[in-house]
Amino acid sequence: MSTPTRPSPAQEQPTEQPDPHRVSTARRVLGGIGVQNSSLIITLVVLVVLLSTLNDNFFRTNNLLLIGSAITIMGLLSLVQTLVIILGALDISVGSMAGLASVISAMAFTSTGSSIVGILAAVGTGILCGLVNGLIIIFGRVNPVVATLATLATYKGIAQVVSDGKAQGYTGADDLFIFLAKGSVLGLPTLVWVFLIVAAVLHFLLKYTDIGRNVFAIGGNDTAARLAGININRYIIGVYALVGVVAAIAGVLITARTGSGQPTSGSEGLELQAVTGAALGGTMLKGGKGSIVSTVLAVFILGVLDNGMSGLGINQFWQNVAHGALLVVAVVLQQLRSGERRVGLPA
């Protein structure tokens, strides 16, 4: 009969257990950042490392500042698209509103010689356009996609009519427009500061105010929100008016960067970019879920991708292909995470 072997001293030692304090700290950090933001940060880091390997000029200061300036206009529209999607709607007319505001700002500046008047005229135009969108949706009982698709063509047409389809005015000698286009504060371009300030305001509005909580409630379940006493019509009009304000700011920045009012060339395709930025940031297209911080990260991913493709000499048209592909991937991932039955497939 064999004698049982005794375990060696190494075997007798208890296995080392992970430090519970470290585990809890890591979980708190991950919980604070969020799974969505963590995945976006990882994607951004991997993309930056890859592009810096392929392009030696990627990490130059001028190139990094160029990325920040380039994403501003797309980023502003992505931020407000996030807001309107969380509400459970959509605004496809944001690019046309920006183009119209650009023309109006330049024409008002040329007529009065005051950049302040030009900017205020653009903001007023944006508010009016946003109110029109909201009123059509409410009183016309029109689906937001159809309503803003119609106004996309309308606002673009108005911009072309009042400008005769040509760039208007010249703002390249005005101090305020020059500061907006080429100035900097604390080493960051003014354009980047505008984007970050708008992002901070919208983040605070959504996360820390009753207005934001009501916007999420409407997008999550409008029937329950109505029964809870939330005036949904008022919120629709307010959100679309705010979209108009931010689209007008984007239009003013287009005017500042190009030195003139641009009816279409500066705003063409911004609708797709805005929706892509919001969807890539995890904003659920059915409404009720989204984050401004996630959209900011997604916008930087798009900006880095566009800059990297340009730096590698890839045809600019492929950027549109990349944006479309990213939008498809983002929507597919949303659908898979939601657990809903895919259209055309058995349950």
Side-chain angles (χ1 to χ4, degrees):
M1 184 174 183
S2 61
T3 304
T5 59
R6 295 182 59 188
S8 65
Q11 291 175 324
E12 290 180 348
Q13 293 179 357
T15 57
E16 185 178 352
Q17 298 295 324
D19 188 348
H21 297 291
R22 291 182 181 179
V23 174
S24 61
T25 301
R27 286 177 178 174
R28 284 198 299 269
V29 172
L30 183 59
I33 296 175
V35 177
Q36 177 68 30
N37 290 343
S38 300
S39 62
L40 289 171
I41 291 172
I42 293 172
T43 301
L44 181 60
V45 170
V46 170
L47 189 60
V48 167
V49 171
L50 176 62
L51 291 175
S52 61
T53 303
L54 298 175
N55 183 4
D56 295 335
N57 297 324
F58 182 82
F59 266 124
R60 290 190 175 182
T61 303
N62 289 340
N63 188 58
L64 296 178
L65 294 178
L66 177 63
I67 294 174
S69 299
I71 66 172
T72 299
I73 295 171
M74 170 190 67
L76 288 172
L77 299 183
S78 296
L79 293 176
V80 287
Q81 195 70 262
T82 299
L83 179 63
V84 76
I85 292 175
I86 291 174
L87 184 70
L90 195 68
D91 192 340
I92 305 178
S93 67
V94 287
S96 295
M97 279 195 284
L100 178 58
S102 175
V103 170
I104 296 299
S105 67
M107 294 179 70
F109 168 75
T110 302
S111 300
T112 64
S114 171
S115 54
I116 298 297
V117 172
I119 293 172
L120 291 177
V123 172
T125 300
I127 293 174
L128 179 61
C129 291
L131 289 175
V132 169
N133 284 345
L135 292 173
I136 291 174
I137 292 169
I138 293 172
F139 294 103
R141 300 180 181 273
V142 181
N143 181 283
V145 176
V146 177
T148 55
L149 182 62
T151 55
L152 175 149
T154 302
Y155 299 151
K156 182 183 294 185
I158 293 174
Q160 292 171 331
V161 168
V162 298
S163 66
D164 198 24
K166 302 173 184 177
Q168 293 295 308
Y170 177 69
T171 62
D174 180 80
D175 291 339
L176 181 54
F177 279 112
I178 291 174
F179 175 71
L180 289 174
K182 302 178 182 179
S184 64
V185 178
L186 300 177
L188 279 180
T190 308
L191 293 166
V192 177
W193 279 112
V194 172
F195 172 61
L196 294 178
I197 290 171
V198 172
V201 171
L202 292 179
H203 175 70
F204 178 82
L205 180 71
L206 281 174
K207 194 171 180 65
Y208 299 106
T209 69
D210 290 337
I211 295 175
R213 285 185 281 272
N214 290 341
V215 167
F216 277 105
I218 294 170
N221 189 326
D222 59 345
T223 301
R226 185 179 290 106
L227 293 175
I230 299 174
N231 190 327
I232 295 179
N233 289 348
R234 183 182 301 172
Y235 274 88
I236 291 175
I237 291 177
V239 166
Y240 274 96
L242 182 56
V243 171
V245 171
V246 178
I249 294 173
V252 170
L253 296 182
I254 291 173
T255 302
R257 292 189 67 183
T258 60
S260 58
Q262 300 292 331
T264 55
S265 61
S267 57
E268 197 74 37
L270 288 176
E271 300 84 5
L272 172 64
Q273 295 178 17
V275 175
T276 303
L280 187 62
T283 306
M284 297 296 291
L285 295 181
K286 64 180 181 180
K289 184 178 179 181
S291 165
I292 294 296
V293 174
S294 298
T295 298
V296 170
L297 291 172
V299 166
F300 275 105
I301 289 174
L302 292 174
V304 168
L305 179 62
D306 289 347
N307 179 271
M309 294 176 70
S310 298
L312 295 174
I314 299 175
N315 191 312
Q316 187 176 2
F317 297 136
W318 283 105
Q319 294 179 15
N320 293 332
V321 176
H323 286 189
L326 285 173
L327 179 57
V328 170
V329 170
V331 173
V332 169
L333 290 177
Q334 284 186 18
Q335 189 69 17
L336 292 176
R337 283 200 297 260
S338 69
E340 295 180 0
R341 183 176 69 86
R342 269 79 73 191
V343 177
L345 295 178

